[in-house]
Amino acid sequence: AGICFLAYFGVSGVLTLMWPYNSLPNGGALPKVFALKGASWAKYVVSVGALCGLASSLIGLLVSLPRMLFSMAGDGLIFK
């Protein structure tokens, strides 16, 4: 939990120090702030990193799905 806190706090701290918080763009603020500051290449790095993170968490959840469904079926919670 501490690592997640530090990561979230660090990203939000960098974001608010790069651009005033009351004028942050809506929807995907971090890549847009990099583009507004002139580092358009960083916009793509952040976007690809976010997509890779979402994809890896989705694949990680899908790996455990058959085991969970098998256990639920064995307990009679769903069809066998």
Side-chain angles (χ1 to χ4, degrees):
I3 295 172
C4 292
F5 167 76
L6 288 176
Y8 187 79
F9 184 77
V11 168
S12 62
V14 165
L15 184 63
T16 55
L17 289 173
M18 285 176 67
W19 202 261
Y21 74 93
N22 55 358
S23 64
L24 284 173
N26 291 333
L30 192 58
K32 289 182 182 176
V33 168
F34 277 113
L36 290 172
K37 289 301 263 184
S40 61
W41 61 270
K43 165 176 77 168
Y44 298 111
V45 171
V46 169
S47 298
V48 168
L51 287 175
C52 288
L54 288 171
S56 67
S57 66
L58 181 64
I59 290 172
L61 290 173
L62 287 176
V63 166
S64 64
L65 185 64
R67 175 176 258 175
M68 183 179 64
L69 290 175
F70 183 75
S71 297
M72 290 173 70
D75 293 339
L77 295 173
I78 59 173
F79 55 89
K80 291 193 181 233

